[in-house]
Amino acid sequence: MTPIQVVGVGMDGRSGLAPRVQTLIDQAAVLVGSRRHLSYFADAIAETWSLDDLQTTLDRLRQRLAADHTGPIIVLASGDPLFFGLGRLLLEQLPAESLTFHPHLSSVQLAFSRLKLPWQGATLISVHGRSTDELMAALGRGDELIAVLTDPTHTPAALGQLILDLELPYRYQLKVCETLGGEDEQVRCISPEAAIAATFAPLNVVVLQRQAQDGPTLDPLPLIGLPDRAFATFRDRPGLITKRDIRIQILADLAPEPEQIVWDIGAGTGSVSIEINRLCPTAQVYAIEKTAAGHGLIQQNQHRLGNANLYPIYGSAPHILGDLPDPDRIFIGGSGGHLSEILDRCADRLSAKGRIVLALATLEHTGTVLAWVDRSTAWQAQLRQIQVQHGVRVGSLTRWQPLTPITVITLSRDEERTGGLGD
């Protein structure tokens, strides 16, 4: 038998352990654990070492191994010691051949069992003594299930505030599982807004579950700059939407007017088309999208947020453009690899006082547009790179969370430009 047995323990203490593991503890020469874990074995005859000073305890374990003392050493840990637990540190500090692990049910396993949720596809994250970077990345991706191990700083209330600060285009519900396995175990399903004002037991696990979209989430909605979560989005790529801050700039650069004809090429979920439709209800807005899923989302968002002057068009540019009336304004949000050809067709069809606005996330697409402008003497470009950062709470502090930089290019004919882009 290896000299150090690492035993996972739940809130039910000794009674939750298998008889064989209980026997190991009864035969231990040294029992190591936190004050809470040691309290479960107050009658043990072994020498007890508290983990209050972790580094000192690790040094003592190394010394004992080197001295080849007889008698087993039992190290008590929470749940599964190799799941964001003490096991990783023990393996870093001590020879692997000196360790044997006896896992208990982890808090995450217990949480999902209490919630009755299959969790094989869940994202598992610990913010216990760690940064929230990994959690923010998972939230930004829109992962459907995220299990979070918390700490006294990153509490359920702090997680609720973080979700709201990120201004996500979808909503999460917090399922807070407190004191799992204990007599005062409690499970609460709560919104981020409600979590901010609530208090929770110190020992908890939070499962974040992305909610199905069932309509606009804010009432009343603003005329422009709709919150991202007001739109139905792709289920598998919920973050694939032109973000609110960028949409506002696009609207300013397009400067749409009543009665105009507007093309939105590569419309995605239709967020820009919806904004134009709401700002200029009498303008005819053609939202062109090549994917069936996106076309369906545009129709859904039109029904929820727009009016009959928005026309979802299923097809690929530039081919589909020949069937549409000549535009006064064009927004290009996606090109499907045909950007130069789309620009050629748009230049031929755009009205004399029209303009084209593009939102680009890559250097290659920006280069394609600039090369197209260089080949033409009839067009000029105004470039803006927009870098948006949202303030998010991290415990008691606030940090900046950046979004992907977007280049917004406005194209206009030379005869229109007399000293700026304004009409």
Side-chain angles (χ1 to χ4, degrees):
M1 184 172 65
T2 55
I4 300 177
Q5 306 289 312
V6 186
V7 175
V9 184
M11 292 294 295
D12 48 2
R14 183 184 182 94
S15 63
L17 300 177
R20 177 177 60 86
V21 177
Q22 293 185 34
T23 299
L24 285 175
I25 293 173
D26 292 339
Q27 296 173 349
V30 176
L31 194 58
V32 182
S34 68
R35 294 179 184 273
R36 178 171 65 86
H37 290 143
L38 291 174
S39 70
Y40 297 143
F41 306 95
D43 297 333
I45 60 173
E47 179 183 355
T48 57
W49 298 355
S50 174
L51 282 173
D52 290 344
D53 187 338
L54 183 57
Q55 190 55 55
T56 297
T57 303
L58 289 170
D59 290 340
R60 294 180 70 183
L61 287 172
R62 275 192 294 269
Q63 291 167 7
R64 188 155 185 120
L65 286 175
D68 196 24
H69 282 284
T70 58
I73 302 170
I74 303 295
V75 178
L76 304 174
S78 294
D80 183 345
L82 293 175
F83 181 72
F84 292 114
L86 184 60
R88 180 178 63 86
L89 181 60
L90 292 174
L91 286 168
E92 289 175 354
Q93 299 281 333
L94 302 171
E97 59 271 16
S98 69
L99 299 166
T100 298
F101 293 92
H102 305 271
H104 194 274
L105 288 173
S106 72
S107 56
V108 169
Q109 286 176 286
L110 286 171
F112 280 108
S113 68
R114 299 298 191 266
L115 297 169
K116 302 178 183 178
L117 286 174
W119 63 288
Q120 62 270 14
T123 301
L124 311 179
I125 294 173
S126 174
V127 294
H128 188 92
R130 302 165 184 246
S131 78
T132 56
D133 290 349
E134 188 179 356
L135 174 58
M136 286 192 285
L139 290 168
R141 293 191 303 266
D143 292 3
E144 292 198 23
L145 277 178
I146 308 171
V148 186
L149 301 178
T150 63
D151 69 9
T153 298
H154 304 103
T155 62
L159 298 187
Q161 184 65 61
L162 175 64
I163 291 169
L164 295 178
D165 287 346
L166 290 174
E167 298 183 8
L168 301 167
Y170 33 82
R171 292 186 65 82
Y172 276 96
Q173 184 181 61
L174 286 80
K175 300 179 184 296
V176 185
C177 305
E178 305 169 70
T179 323
L180 288 169
E183 293 182 359
D184 52 350
E185 175 181 297
Q186 182 178 204
V187 175
R188 283 186 272 176
C189 298
I190 192 169
S191 69
E193 294 85 353
I196 293 172
T199 57
F200 304 90
L203 297 177
N204 65 74
V205 175
V206 178
V207 174
L208 305 175
Q209 185 172 31
R210 201 179 84 205
Q211 300 298 286
Q213 296 168 309
D214 54 4
T217 55
L218 295 180
D219 187 23
L221 291 167
L223 175 61
I224 62 172
L226 295 174
D228 293 344
R229 62 180 179 271
F231 297 95
T233 60
F234 297 95
R235 180 171 179 81
D236 59 335
R237 296 167 294 163
L240 191 62
I241 181 175
T242 302
K243 302 298 190 291
R244 175 180 181 271
D245 306 88
I246 307 301
R247 290 198 307 273
I248 292 171
Q249 184 63 58
I250 289 167
L251 290 175
D253 289 350
L254 276 173
E257 297 178 3
E259 312 295 336
Q260 286 184 331
I261 293 173
V262 183
W263 292 356
D264 178 1
I265 299 173
T269 64
S271 62
V272 172
S273 290
I274 291 290
E275 293 274 17
I276 299 169
N277 183 229
R278 291 168 62 86
L279 184 62
C280 299
T282 60
Q284 297 180 53
V285 184
Y286 294 85
I288 302 129
E289 173 55 38
K290 68 177 184 178
T291 70
H295 181 254
L297 287 170
I298 295 169
Q299 293 176 312
Q300 185 178 344
N301 285 321
Q302 177 192 17
H303 177 72
R304 294 161 55 191
L305 301 166
N307 67 36
N309 282 330
L310 193 160
Y311 303 96
I313 305 296
Y314 180 40
S316 298
H319 311 295
I320 196 70
L321 303 179
D323 300 329
L324 305 181
D326 290 344
D328 302 292
R329 297 287 188 268
I330 300 173
F331 171 64
I332 302 176
S335 61
H338 303 286
L339 186 52
S340 292
E341 297 94 323
I342 290 172
L343 287 170
D344 289 339
R345 187 68 59 87
C346 290
D348 290 340
R349 300 285 304 281
L350 187 66
S351 65
K353 297 293 185 180
R355 63 181 63 179
I356 303 170
V357 176
L358 305 96
L360 308 169
T362 70
L363 293 172
E364 288 78 9
H365 285 150
T366 300
T368 297
V369 175
L370 296 180
W372 183 87
V373 172
D374 287 343
R375 290 194 300 269
S376 170
T377 58
W379 295 85
Q380 291 189 2
Q382 183 183 69
L383 284 78
R384 290 186 178 88
Q385 186 176 76
I386 303 176
Q387 171 66 77
V388 178
Q389 300 188 79
H390 291 169
V392 298
R393 295 287 291 177
V394 180
S396 60
L397 303 175
T398 304
R399 61 176 284 187
W400 291 113
Q401 175 66 16
L403 302 180
T404 301
I406 299 295
T407 299
V408 178
I409 302 181
T410 303
L411 302 177
S412 56
R413 291 187 173 91
D414 280 343
E415 60 265 28
E416 182 192 354
R417 300 181 62 83
T418 60
L421 284 174
D423 289 331

